[in-house]
Amino acid sequence: MTALKRIEREPLWDLAHAQLRDALLAGRFEPGTVLTLRSLAESFGTSITPVRDAVTRLVAQGVLQQGPRNSAIVPHLSRRELSDLTVVRCALEGRAAREAALHRHDDATLRKLQERLSTMQSLIAARKLESYLEHHRKFHFGIYAMSGIPLLVETIENMWLRCGPVLSYVIPEYVVLLKGWDHHTAALKAIVAGDADGAEREIVADISDAAHYLASLADSTGQLRRPSLVTS
Amino acid sequence: MTALKRIEREPLWDLAHAQLRDALLAGRFEPGTVLTLRSLAESFGTSITPVRDAVTRLVAQGVLQQGPRNSAIVPHLSRRELSDLTVVRCALEGRAAREAALHRHDDATLRKLQERLSTMQSLIAARKLESYLEHHRKFHFGIYAMSGIPLLVETIENMWLRCGPVLSYVIPEYVVLLKGWDHHTAALKAIVAGDADGAEREIVADISDAAHYLASLADSTGQLRRPSLVTS
DNA sequence: CGACGATGTTTGTTATAACAAACAACAAAA
DNA sequence: TTTTGTTGTTTGTTATAACAAACATCGTCG
């Protein structure tokens, strides 16, 4: 058999899962929207079976909330839930930064992160905020990957998914207002220096500051909503 | 409307999910076993559709590992994975204990935990180790619930599910060998006293000690296996 | 005797239909 | 006008069948 094909084709529900996940993370669904299986199936051009698998998986991950009749609704994020999320994220991501600082790393990976950091700063200066988000995410997870603990990275990713929409439409204006990159450079510097306490402190400060800014935007009911949403 | 019926009937896949979850946690499946949808469906007396939902959910939670052809296999736990699990658990559960110590609590809940603690000690003395496990779990989660952060409790529960089988057949003989209840009483005492540092330290020590004991039981390949399993 | 290939079986994937519960709309009665 | 009962629609749930890929079995050829 000459076939080295290694087909490794992905199932339909995996595609649906990825698409839904990205849409949620990008904030393309209004919080409170009920996602019906048949409408999703129609938009994907498949049967309801694959989208049911995808939605089941997303609900299990906590990305989607399950409504009254086991319907999947894209979750609102209250100030309280954001606060809880912040506690868990600080524990997890702070620990990841600490573990990263305790290891010795290749120069290549360190240089890559530093390059990303400088491109992030130039993106801020140029007000290219759409592409900043992606770099922001990759910088954080680049640090977390340096912990060498896949389970930790996976759990952190789960938490990001839960607060994804809120981050997506608030971080850009936050980062241009504040001096947010401060903690990023400090954290990376601490990791390079092997300063575990400093790395954890800076990452926790980065998360806490952003969360504090977000919490100040909540309305009277404690709900966090998209501030402007200038739909093109 | 006289109807107070509150039907609240659970779907079949929810029952299958709960049964599988409990079986995993109790260690009734040998690690490495492939769970086929049709055989599970037959044992549950249902179609494959509900069990597919349940398995999908368990895989999404990381409780089950997905094998080569997207088949679900009950995961082996290597020494390395146990180590990673321990890091995450310490970060999470230590934080939960810390948060619990920072709050003021009802006397009722505190007394309930203390009662559970004394029954645990008497169970150890009487060598009733099967029922000890359940109390052990409820004591820990009783503390974590006192953090007042449901997301934190939920995430911790997820981690317990991942190492469930190993704990189930090792903890009993561990707890009778060592003076394991020491950390439990110390942690609860610290929480009552509002000593956040002490509460975190004791819970972390409890987890670390048990993990260290488990790691010493790994075979040459780094796999953790059921030590004796005296099947009745 | 050993290796290669055909064939049947197993197993996850997907589509479809039938079903039940919940919601919405409308009409009729108090 | 308000309330109530009925009906039609929506939507998640479950079963079943068809399908494709992977694995096992076994026969045939070298």
Side-chain angles (χ1 to χ4, degrees):
Chain A
M1 174 71 79
T2 69
L4 263 295
K5 34 189 177 182
R6 287 274 163 224
I7 298 185
E8 204 68 37
R9 76 175 176 89
E10 276 187 301
L12 283 184
W13 61 263
D14 213 333
L15 297 179
H17 174 76
Q19 288 196 34
L20 274 177
R21 198 185 73 108
D22 292 346
L24 264 307
L25 234 161
R28 281 198 290 271
F29 286 118
E30 196 69 19
T33 307
V34 292
L35 298 177
T36 66
L37 297 181
R38 285 174 176 82
S39 61
L40 287 177
E42 190 178 15
S43 73
F44 284 140
T46 68
S47 162
I48 68 172
T49 313
V51 305
R52 182 180 168 80
D53 281 9
V55 168
T56 296
R57 174 166 294 207
L58 287 170
V59 170
Q61 286 180 301
V63 180
L64 289 178
Q65 226 169 4
Q66 65 177 9
R69 205 265 276 72
N70 275 352
S71 61
I73 67 182
V74 26
H76 282 280
L77 201 57
S78 67
R79 185 160 28 191
R80 177 53 190 273
E81 289 166 324
L82 176 68
S83 166
D84 293 356
L85 220 22
T86 303
V87 172
V88 178
R89 282 189 57 198
C90 285
L92 250 23
E93 302 177 38
R95 180 60 170 232
R98 168 177 293 273
E99 292 291 328
L102 293 177
H103 298 351
R104 186 63 34 220
H105 301 288
D106 300 345
D107 288 344
T109 62
L110 290 177
R111 190 173 311 278
K112 210 166 185 176
L113 277 184
Q114 282 165 340
E115 286 176 6
R116 193 180 296 280
L117 209 45
S118 53
T119 63
M120 282 163 68
Q121 294 177 14
S122 56
L123 281 174
I124 295 173
R127 295 293 190 277
K128 302 288 291 181
L129 299 179
E130 327 69 84
S131 53
Y132 172 81
L133 268 173
E134 185 66 12
H135 285 277
H136 173 81
R137 194 181 64 83
K138 288 193 174 173
F139 174 77
H140 271 268
F141 280 94
I143 287 181
Y144 305 149
M146 286 162 62
S147 71
I149 304 179
L151 174 65
L152 190 50
V153 179
E154 177 188 332
T155 310
I156 293 172
E157 198 171 5
N158 214 309
M159 296 305 136
W160 278 56
L161 276 172
R162 300 205 186 207
C163 57
V166 178
L167 285 181
S168 70
Y169 54 72
V170 174
I171 281 292
E173 59 187 35
Y174 161 70
V175 79
V176 70
L177 257 62
L178 281 305
K179 75 299 175 227
W181 58 271
D182 206 6
H183 295 308
H184 291 166
T185 55
L188 185 54
K189 186 173 295 183
I191 288 174
V192 175
D195 175 16
D197 288 328
E200 175 169 1
R201 181 173 7 98
E202 293 299 330
I203 287 294
V204 167
D206 182 51
I207 299 171
S208 298
D209 286 359
H212 192 265
Y213 174 76
L214 261 71
S216 68
L217 296 179
D219 61 13
S220 59
T221 68
Q223 296 295 325
L224 290 167
R225 300 195 173 281
R226 175 181 269 106
S228 56
L229 184 62
V230 274
T231 53
S232 67
Chain B
M1 172 73 79
T2 67
L4 264 295
K5 36 186 175 182
R6 289 272 163 227
I7 298 185
E8 205 68 38
R9 77 175 175 90
E10 275 187 303
L12 285 184
W13 61 262
D14 214 331
L15 297 180
H17 174 77
Q19 288 196 34
L20 275 176
R21 198 185 73 107
D22 292 347
L24 264 307
L25 234 162
R28 281 198 292 271
F29 286 118
E30 196 69 19
T33 307
V34 292
L35 299 176
T36 67
L37 297 181
R38 284 173 175 83
S39 60
L40 287 177
E42 190 178 14
S43 73
F44 285 140
T46 68
S47 162
I48 69 173
T49 312
V51 305
R52 181 179 169 80
D53 280 11
V55 168
T56 296
R57 173 167 292 207
L58 287 171
V59 170
Q61 286 180 301
V63 180
L64 290 177
Q65 225 169 5
Q66 65 176 8
R69 206 266 276 71
N70 276 351
S71 61
I73 67 182
V74 28
H76 283 280
L77 202 57
S78 66
R79 183 161 30 190
R80 177 53 190 271
E81 288 166 324
L82 176 69
S83 166
D84 293 357
L85 220 23
T86 303
V87 171
V88 178
R89 283 189 57 198
C90 286
L92 250 24
E93 301 178 38
R95 179 62 170 229
R98 168 177 293 274
E99 293 292 326
L102 294 177
H103 298 350
R104 184 68 28 225
H105 302 286
D106 301 343
D107 287 344
T109 62
L110 289 178
R111 189 174 312 277
K112 210 165 185 178
L113 277 184
Q114 282 164 339
E115 286 175 8
R116 192 180 298 279
L117 209 45
S118 53
T119 62
M120 283 163 68
Q121 294 177 15
S122 57
L123 282 174
I124 294 173
R127 294 294 189 275
K128 302 288 290 182
L129 299 179
E130 329 66 85
S131 52
Y132 172 81
L133 267 173
E134 185 66 11
H135 285 277
H136 172 80
R137 194 181 64 84
K138 287 191 175 174
F139 174 77
H140 271 269
F141 280 94
I143 286 183
Y144 305 149
M146 286 161 62
S147 70
I149 304 180
L151 173 65
L152 190 49
V153 180
E154 177 188 332
T155 310
I156 293 172
E157 199 172 3
N158 213 306
M159 296 304 135
W160 277 56
L161 275 172
R162 301 205 187 206
C163 57
V166 177
L167 285 182
S168 70
Y169 54 71
V170 174
I171 281 291
E173 59 186 36
Y174 161 70
V175 79
V176 72
L177 256 62
L178 282 307
K179 74 303 175 223
W181 58 272
D182 205 7
H183 296 307
H184 290 166
T185 55
L188 186 54
K189 187 173 297 184
I191 289 174
V192 175
D195 176 15
D197 288 328
E200 175 170 0
R201 180 172 10 97
E202 292 299 330
I203 288 295
V204 167
D206 182 51
I207 298 170
S208 299
D209 286 358
H212 192 264
Y213 175 76
L214 260 72
S216 68
L217 297 179
D219 59 14
S220 58
T221 69
Q223 296 294 325
L224 291 166
R225 301 195 172 281
R226 173 182 270 106
S228 55
L229 183 64
V230 274
T231 53
S232 67

